[in-house]
Amino acid sequence: MSYDPDNIFAKILRGEIPSFKVYEDEQTYCFMDIMPRSAGHCLVIPKTPCRNILDASPEQLCACMATVSTVANAAMKAFGADGITLQQFSEAAGGQEVFHLHFHILPRHSGKSLGPAGVMGDMEVIKAHAEKLIAALG
Ligand code: AMP
């Protein structure tokens, strides 16, 4: 399977479609998921192309994991979370819908289930959650 440069996250990286940015460094970009399954649900992606865990280089994976760790700790603070769920889906059979490697960071609270997938969030709430994360990263 090859990388499609017209996938939606590649378009976000090129600034062709908007996103709620949370964090970026030279190698990675973190932004809010617009169909959040928990408050603060965000995504970490490499800035360089790869489809998923099956073709990612060790460098891409290491860079993403460093950012995941940074943002996950900020999310614990920002949302008073009790834990974090980290998800990654590879290929359609694995549940992947957008074919640019991404890791879901889902802040969790004890006893609270994840919300359903595929439900568009309230953009004002998502924006406010991005701001909370940014403040906690400060
Ligand atoms: P998956 O490939 O199964 O990990 O799912 C892709 C994820 O990307 C889903 O959680 C979607 O809600 C999310 N998503 C899709 N389009 C956008 C977008 N334009 N901005 C932010 N998140 C998105």
Side-chain angles (χ1 to χ4, degrees):
M1 294 292 213
S2 58
Y3 181 80
D4 172 10
D6 284 329
N7 75 76
I8 201 150
F9 295 169
K11 289 181 179 172
I12 284 176
L13 283 170
R14 289 196 295 267
E16 292 167 10
I17 61 167
S19 63
F20 294 105
K21 174 176 139 179
V22 170
Y23 173 87
E24 77 177 316
D25 58 25
E26 216 174 292
Q27 298 177 77
T28 65
Y29 187 73
C30 176
F31 58 106
M32 302 307 287
D33 195 305
I34 53 170
M35 297 178 225
R37 300 190 62 196
S38 72
H41 180 176
C42 59
L43 303 168
V44 173
I45 65 175
K47 287 186 173 175
T48 48
C50 66
R51 271 175 79 85
N52 54 43
I53 202 79
L54 302 170
D55 64 340
S57 69
E59 291 74 22
Q60 287 171 316
L61 294 171
C62 283
C64 284
M65 282 303 109
T67 298
V68 164
S69 167
T70 299
V71 176
N73 279 291
M76 289 291 286
K77 264 200 286 178
F79 299 99
D82 301 310
I84 298 289
T85 296
L86 182 63
Q87 289 183 325
Q88 197 286 314
F89 305 112
S90 287
E91 298 302 329
Q96 186 174 16
E97 290 177 357
V98 178
F99 295 93
H100 181 110
L101 174 68
H102 54 280
F103 295 89
H104 296 254
I105 296 176
L106 296 140
R108 302 297 301 274
H109 291 90
S110 301
K112 186 153 193 237
S113 303
L114 285 181
V119 179
M120 195 60 78
D122 177 324
M123 294 303 145
E124 285 307 310
V125 172
I126 293 173
K127 182 167 179 268
H129 286 169
E131 284 162 5
K132 276 180 116 173
L133 274 168
I134 290 165
L137 281 162

